[in-house]
Amino acid sequence: MNHCVVSTEERHFESLHKALDAVAREQKYLALTQAPPWEQSQAFYRNVLAAGFPHFVAVDGSGKVVGWCDVSPVFGHSRAHIGVLGIALLPEARGRGLGAQLLQAAIDKSWARGLTRLELSVRADNPKAKALYERFGFEHEGLLRHASLIDAIYHDAHAMALLR
């Protein structure tokens, strides 16, 4: 099936929320284990877009969101140059190069917006994602021990960043 990466628009929000919930429920890739309430998600998407921060979706031929990449602002005036990157794909969309397309779009828009540092954390048991980030120049900055707790099991994560 044909997929394309586009800037997120209001018409994508409902499908994006469903995709977020599906990936969150895998309990492997996101800080969330289910999507936030619809109103909260809508507000987040609108805030990111209104602030001019990157938010892209991968959609299939029917317009269904199968993945996304966003960059969120960081709190604090002295950290206004930093964005936190989040990315995920539905299982059926993985391994097709969509993650690389989403990541490139988000990086390009981040730099165009004036950001000079992108941060992310990736679970230590997700080597494919870590390899993707490294391919794009993200560097390992440390290990976040017990960074998440799922079903009474702690998971470490790698702190990574890309500097412009």
Side-chain angles (χ1 to χ4, degrees):
M1 186 172 285
N2 253 356
H3 294 89
C4 63
V5 171
V6 297
S7 290
T8 305
E9 297 176 9
E10 189 101 15
R11 65 189 168 96
H12 298 120
F13 288 1
E14 187 175 345
S15 184
L16 174 58
H17 187 255
K18 287 178 181 162
L20 169 63
D21 191 58
V23 175
R25 287 178 189 277
E26 289 181 79
Q27 298 189 357
K28 287 189 208 165
Y29 306 109
L30 304 178
L32 301 169
T33 56
Q34 65 183 45
W38 167 239
E39 297 74 23
Q40 190 178 332
S41 291
Q42 255 187 320
F44 172 80
Y45 304 143
R46 286 189 178 123
N47 288 340
V48 168
L49 295 175
F53 274 77
H55 204 301
F56 293 92
V57 289
V59 294
D60 67 14
S62 71
K64 174 187 169 189
V65 172
V66 297
W68 71 90
C69 187
D70 57 54
V71 177
S72 305
V74 176
F75 176 78
H77 300 109
S78 69
R79 296 174 46 84
H81 63 289
I82 300 171
V84 176
L85 188 131
I87 184 171
L89 291 163
L90 290 175
E92 65 267 24
R94 296 176 190 149
R96 300 171 181 234
L98 290 170
Q101 291 176 49
L102 286 163
L103 195 51
Q104 189 63 63
I107 291 168
D108 290 346
K109 183 159 185 186
S110 294
W111 295 165
R113 194 194 178 284
L115 298 177
T116 58
R117 176 181 168 88
L118 293 178
E119 299 176 343
L120 61 85
S121 66
V122 57
R123 269 185 34 180
D125 60 353
N126 190 355
K128 285 184 179 178
K130 186 173 185 278
L132 173 67
Y133 305 139
E134 288 169 343
R135 230 173 44 236
F136 277 81
F138 281 82
E139 293 186 28
H140 184 267
E141 293 190 333
L143 186 68
L144 306 170
R145 298 173 301 148
H146 291 197
S148 66
L149 178 62
I150 308 274
D151 294 332
I153 299 169
Y154 287 103
H155 299 275
D156 295 344
H158 299 284
M160 300 181 77
L162 177 67
L163 302 181
R164 182 167 182 211

